[in-house]
Amino acid sequence: MKNSRPVLLSRPVVIIGLIIGVTLAAGTAILSTVSTREMAAASIRVTHTQATLLEINQLLSSLIDTETGQRGYILTGLESYLEPYTRAADGLDKQLDGLRQRFANSPEQLATLDRISQLVADKKAETSRTIELRRANAIGPALHIVDSGAGLKNMNALRMAVHDLEQRELMDLSLNSASVSRRADFFQIIGLIMLVAACAMGGTGGWLLMRRVHELETMITVCAWTRRVKFNGQWVSFEDYLRARFNLQFTHGISEEASRKLKMEAIELVEAEALKYKGAPVVRPA
């Protein structure tokens, strides 16, 4: 007889389905956690880049202040013009050290920063020389150094080097953001697929369960005389019905009531045989 029991409701398949469901749920949670961490790391990276760009701009601003103070003092001879120069010059080394720490893991940026440090040293030497000459009332030689164009060339080189620092930082940020965005999209797609798969499995399992409950609630027809069950248009025994519908296996024994009945039948049979042969002793089974 054909087994009509739904295979998807067998115990091994149900266990496998539960394992897959738990795996999908755990995978979705893990993907969500990883994606959140990557977004947090990207946010930290953006903040770090913004702070680095600010320090780079502050370095350039300090260089401009030193040159502005130098030019103002040479032209006027007023010490008040040296205040921005002095303040900026004192902070240049500290700013360079701060940027060096930020670029500790970037050899290319460190190489550019070394070039900037050398240009800054040359600029400080040039401005110090012109200020000393102006204090000594040697305004002509001081203006000659300024007019030579060496300071302008130095500042242009500094601006280009600082621009290189900024562009490389922005490029690294752009590449990192693009990578994070791609991974986030990938995680989102995988998570969506896993969610759809989990919903599909849950819906299928619920439908099969409701179908099985409906089957169990359905009335069955039992023959009042033979005690056989009508199943798929045929009269079958209870064993065959349960085996076909629920895939149950059976072993057989004998109940106490049936055992006593068989004993009584055996006694009656022996007594009937004894009546045929009068005088023969009747031996009752123990």
Side-chain angles (χ1 to χ4, degrees):
M1 182 179 296
K2 185 179 179 180
N3 188 350
S4 65
R5 180 175 184 265
V7 178
L8 288 178
L9 286 178
S10 62
R11 179 176 296 180
V13 176
V14 170
I15 293 175
I16 293 174
L18 289 174
I19 292 174
I20 294 175
V22 172
T23 302
L24 289 173
T28 302
I30 292 173
L31 285 177
S32 178
T33 301
V34 172
S35 179
T36 301
R37 287 184 177 179
E38 291 211 352
M39 294 301 293
S43 178
I44 293 173
R45 173 60 179 166
V46 170
T47 303
H48 180 273
T49 300
Q50 290 175 341
T52 302
L53 293 175
L54 179 61
E55 290 190 18
I56 292 173
N57 288 323
Q58 287 175 345
L59 174 64
L60 183 60
S61 178
S62 297
L63 291 170
I64 294 174
D65 286 344
T66 59
E67 188 176 55
T68 301
Q70 171 209 24
R71 299 292 176 86
Y73 179 71
I74 291 174
L75 293 174
T76 64
L78 298 176
E79 290 290 334
S80 59
Y81 279 93
L82 291 180
E83 291 180 3
Y85 163 80
T86 304
R87 184 171 58 253
D90 291 341
L92 284 174
D93 292 337
K94 184 178 180 180
Q95 290 172 343
L96 289 171
D97 290 340
L99 287 172
R100 196 174 301 280
Q101 292 179 2
R102 286 188 175 275
F103 298 141
N105 297 322
S106 178
E108 293 182 353
Q109 293 289 68
L110 284 176
T112 302
L113 193 61
D114 289 339
R115 188 167 75 252
I116 290 175
S117 297
Q118 184 59 49
L119 291 171
V120 168
D122 294 342
K123 184 64 178 175
K124 289 173 69 175
E126 182 251 334
T127 54
S128 296
R129 177 60 180 162
T130 57
I131 289 173
E132 290 175 1
L133 289 172
R134 182 66 179 85
R135 282 175 174 167
N137 292 321
I139 187 172
L143 289 174
H144 177 71
I145 294 175
V146 173
D147 293 338
S148 67
L152 178 62
K153 183 179 179 180
N154 181 277
M155 281 300 297
N156 288 336
L158 279 168
R159 286 188 176 94
M160 291 182 61
V162 169
H163 180 72
D164 289 342
L165 284 180
E166 292 178 335
Q167 291 303 308
R168 190 168 288 113
E169 278 296 298
L170 291 173
M171 183 180 298
D172 290 344
L173 178 62
S174 177
L175 292 175
N176 183 265
S177 298
S179 177
V180 171
S181 179
R182 287 194 299 269
R183 287 196 296 270
D185 291 340
F186 173 76
F187 289 150
Q188 185 177 13
I189 292 172
I190 296 300
L192 182 61
I193 291 174
M194 295 176 69
L195 180 61
V196 170
C199 291
M201 289 187 62
T204 302
W207 177 77
L208 290 173
L209 181 61
M210 293 302 296
R211 179 181 174 184
R212 174 49 58 88
V213 170
H214 176 71
E215 290 178 354
L216 293 175
E217 291 176 346
T218 303
M219 297 291 291
I220 60 174
T221 304
V222 180
C223 177
W225 284 267
T226 63
R227 300 299 181 184
R228 296 171 72 83
V229 179
K230 192 171 186 179
F231 182 66
N232 288 341
Q234 300 181 21
W235 291 98
V236 299
S237 66
F238 262 113
E239 289 88 344
D240 291 337
Y241 169 75
L242 295 175
R243 186 181 297 110
R245 187 162 185 178
F246 303 108
N247 199 26
L248 298 177
Q249 303 300 322
F250 298 93
T251 183
H252 292 83
I254 185 170
S255 65
E256 291 79 1
E257 182 181 356
S259 177
R260 289 193 297 269
K261 183 177 180 181
L262 288 176
K263 287 181 180 180
M264 292 301 298
E265 290 176 354
I267 292 173
E268 291 175 357
L269 180 61
V270 171
E271 290 178 347
E273 290 294 328
L275 291 176
K276 293 181 181 180
Y277 304 96
K278 292 182 180 181
V282 177
V283 180
R284 293 180 175 271

